[in-house]
mmCIF file of all heavy atoms in Angstrom:
data_model
loop_
_atom_site.group_PDB
_atom_site.id
_atom_site.type_symbol
_atom_site.label_atom_id
_atom_site.label_comp_id
_atom_site.label_asym_id
_atom_site.label_seq_id
_atom_site.Cartn_x
_atom_site.Cartn_y
_atom_site.Cartn_z
ATOM 1 N N ALA G 18 -0.931 -18.929 -14.961
ATOM 2 C CA ALA G 18 -0.936 -17.945 -16.035
ATOM 3 C C ALA G 18 0.470 -17.723 -16.598
ATOM 4 O O ALA G 18 1.472 -17.776 -15.871
ATOM 5 C CB ALA G 18 -1.490 -16.619 -15.546
ATOM 6 N N GLN G 19 0.537 -17.465 -17.895
ATOM 7 C CA GLN G 19 1.797 -17.187 -18.567
ATOM 8 C C GLN G 19 1.773 -15.771 -19.122
ATOM 9 O O GLN G 19 0.739 -15.256 -19.550
ATOM 10 C CB GLN G 19 2.029 -18.189 -19.716
ATOM 11 C CG GLN G 19 2.115 -19.642 -19.267
ATOM 12 C CD GLN G 19 3.297 -19.887 -18.363
ATOM 13 O OE1 GLN G 19 4.421 -19.434 -18.641
ATOM 14 N NE2 GLN G 19 3.086 -20.629 -17.280
ATOM 15 N N LEU G 20 2.959 -15.134 -19.111
ATOM 16 C CA LEU G 20 3.059 -13.779 -19.656
ATOM 17 C C LEU G 20 2.953 -13.826 -21.189
ATOM 18 O O LEU G 20 3.678 -14.582 -21.827
ATOM 19 C CB LEU G 20 4.406 -13.143 -19.225
ATOM 20 C CG LEU G 20 4.558 -11.645 -19.470
ATOM 21 C CD1 LEU G 20 3.633 -10.885 -18.523
ATOM 22 C CD2 LEU G 20 6.009 -11.238 -19.221
ATOM 23 N N PRO G 21 2.072 -13.032 -21.778
ATOM 24 C CA PRO G 21 1.950 -13.043 -23.244
ATOM 25 C C PRO G 21 3.167 -12.369 -23.900
ATOM 26 O O PRO G 21 3.941 -11.680 -23.227
ATOM 27 C CB PRO G 21 0.679 -12.244 -23.502
ATOM 28 C CG PRO G 21 0.579 -11.302 -22.334
ATOM 29 C CD PRO G 21 1.114 -12.108 -21.161
ATOM 30 N N ASP G 22 3.286 -12.572 -25.218
ATOM 31 C CA ASP G 22 4.369 -11.925 -25.976
ATOM 32 C C ASP G 22 4.057 -10.443 -26.093
ATOM 33 O O ASP G 22 3.030 -10.052 -26.674
ATOM 34 C CB ASP G 22 4.483 -12.573 -27.364
ATOM 35 C CG ASP G 22 5.635 -11.977 -28.151
ATOM 36 O OD1 ASP G 22 6.449 -11.230 -27.542
ATOM 37 O OD2 ASP G 22 5.753 -12.276 -29.353
ATOM 38 N N LEU G 23 4.910 -9.605 -25.549
ATOM 39 C CA LEU G 23 4.690 -8.169 -25.543
ATOM 40 C C LEU G 23 5.480 -7.440 -26.607
ATOM 41 O O LEU G 23 5.357 -6.211 -26.739
ATOM 42 C CB LEU G 23 5.015 -7.604 -24.150
ATOM 43 C CG LEU G 23 4.190 -8.167 -22.997
ATOM 44 C CD1 LEU G 23 4.664 -7.589 -21.680
ATOM 45 C CD2 LEU G 23 2.692 -7.883 -23.177
ATOM 46 N N ALA G 24 6.313 -8.126 -27.345
ATOM 47 C CA ALA G 24 7.075 -7.505 -28.422
ATOM 48 C C ALA G 24 6.110 -7.033 -29.520
ATOM 49 O O ALA G 24 5.164 -7.715 -29.865
ATOM 50 C CB ALA G 24 8.078 -8.470 -29.004
ATOM 51 N N GLY G 25 6.328 -5.845 -30.026
ATOM 52 C CA GLY G 25 5.450 -5.293 -31.042
ATOM 53 C C GLY G 25 4.385 -4.379 -30.496
ATOM 54 O O GLY G 25 3.696 -3.686 -31.266
ATOM 55 N N ILE G 26 4.201 -4.349 -29.180
ATOM 56 C CA ILE G 26 3.234 -3.429 -28.580
ATOM 57 C C ILE G 26 3.806 -2.016 -28.539
ATOM 58 O O ILE G 26 4.933 -1.799 -28.104
ATOM 59 C CB ILE G 26 2.873 -3.893 -27.138
ATOM 60 C CG1 ILE G 26 2.086 -5.189 -27.183
ATOM 61 C CG2 ILE G 26 2.094 -2.812 -26.410
ATOM 62 C CD1 ILE G 26 1.760 -5.728 -25.833
ATOM 63 N N ASP G 27 3.042 -1.078 -29.046
ATOM 64 C CA ASP G 27 3.458 0.317 -29.043
ATOM 65 C C ASP G 27 4.864 0.412 -29.615
ATOM 66 O O ASP G 27 5.104 0.027 -30.765
ATOM 67 C CB ASP G 27 3.365 0.891 -27.625
ATOM 68 C CG ASP G 27 3.375 2.423 -27.603
ATOM 69 O OD1 ASP G 27 3.217 2.999 -28.672
ATOM 70 O OD2 ASP G 27 3.539 2.998 -26.535
ATOM 71 N N ARG G 28 5.855 0.876 -28.847
ATOM 72 C CA ARG G 28 7.225 1.007 -29.354
ATOM 73 C C ARG G 28 8.126 -0.148 -28.941
ATOM 74 O O ARG G 28 9.360 -0.098 -29.122
ATOM 75 C CB ARG G 28 7.831 2.308 -28.816
ATOM 76 C CG ARG G 28 7.197 3.563 -29.397
ATOM 77 C CD ARG G 28 7.720 4.800 -28.692
ATOM 78 N NE ARG G 28 7.191 4.912 -27.337
ATOM 79 C CZ ARG G 28 7.845 5.489 -26.336
ATOM 80 N NH1 ARG G 28 9.066 5.949 -26.518
ATOM 81 N NH2 ARG G 28 7.290 5.586 -25.144
ATOM 82 N N VAL G 29 7.561 -1.208 -28.362
ATOM 83 C CA VAL G 29 8.370 -2.299 -27.840
ATOM 84 C C VAL G 29 8.936 -3.127 -29.007
ATOM 85 O O VAL G 29 8.169 -3.690 -29.808
ATOM 86 C CB VAL G 29 7.549 -3.209 -26.924
ATOM 87 C CG1 VAL G 29 8.400 -4.373 -26.438
ATOM 88 C CG2 VAL G 29 7.021 -2.406 -25.741
ATOM 89 N N ALA G 30 10.261 -3.174 -29.093
ATOM 90 C CA ALA G 30 10.931 -3.954 -30.143
ATOM 91 C C ALA G 30 11.400 -5.296 -29.616
ATOM 92 O O ALA G 30 11.341 -6.310 -30.302
ATOM 93 C CB ALA G 30 12.096 -3.172 -30.726
ATOM 94 N N THR G 31 11.890 -5.282 -28.351
ATOM 95 C CA THR G 31 12.407 -6.516 -27.764
ATOM 96 C C THR G 31 11.982 -6.624 -26.316
ATOM 97 O O THR G 31 11.732 -5.632 -25.634
ATOM 98 C CB THR G 31 13.951 -6.595 -27.812
ATOM 99 O OG1 THR G 31 14.498 -5.445 -27.140
ATOM 100 C CG2 THR G 31 14.433 -6.601 -29.255
ATOM 101 N N VAL G 32 11.879 -7.877 -25.845
ATOM 102 C CA VAL G 32 11.603 -8.178 -24.454
ATOM 103 C C VAL G 32 12.804 -8.945 -23.933
ATOM 104 O O VAL G 32 13.080 -10.056 -24.372
ATOM 105 C CB VAL G 32 10.322 -8.992 -24.282
ATOM 106 C CG1 VAL G 32 10.070 -9.279 -22.799
ATOM 107 C CG2 VAL G 32 9.122 -8.268 -24.891
ATOM 108 N N VAL G 33 13.530 -8.356 -22.960
ATOM 109 C CA VAL G 33 14.789 -8.925 -22.497
ATOM 110 C C VAL G 33 14.608 -9.525 -21.110
ATOM 111 O O VAL G 33 14.073 -8.859 -20.197
ATOM 112 C CB VAL G 33 15.891 -7.822 -22.452
ATOM 113 C CG1 VAL G 33 17.195 -8.408 -21.937
ATOM 114 C CG2 VAL G 33 16.066 -7.203 -23.830
ATOM 115 N N GLU G 34 15.020 -10.781 -20.953
ATOM 116 C CA GLU G 34 14.994 -11.419 -19.630
ATOM 117 C C GLU G 34 16.022 -10.759 -18.711
ATOM 118 O O GLU G 34 17.190 -10.618 -19.084
ATOM 119 C CB GLU G 34 15.310 -12.908 -19.772
ATOM 120 C CG GLU G 34 14.334 -13.679 -20.651
ATOM 121 C CD GLU G 34 13.052 -14.007 -19.916
ATOM 122 O OE1 GLU G 34 13.017 -13.829 -18.688
ATOM 123 O OE2 GLU G 34 12.081 -14.418 -20.589
#
Side-chain angles (χ1 to χ4, degrees):
Q19 299 297 315
L20 192 69
D22 183 10
L23 300 176
I26 291 178
D27 198 12
R28 292 173 288 150
V29 178
T31 58
V32 180
V33 179
E34 300 281 348

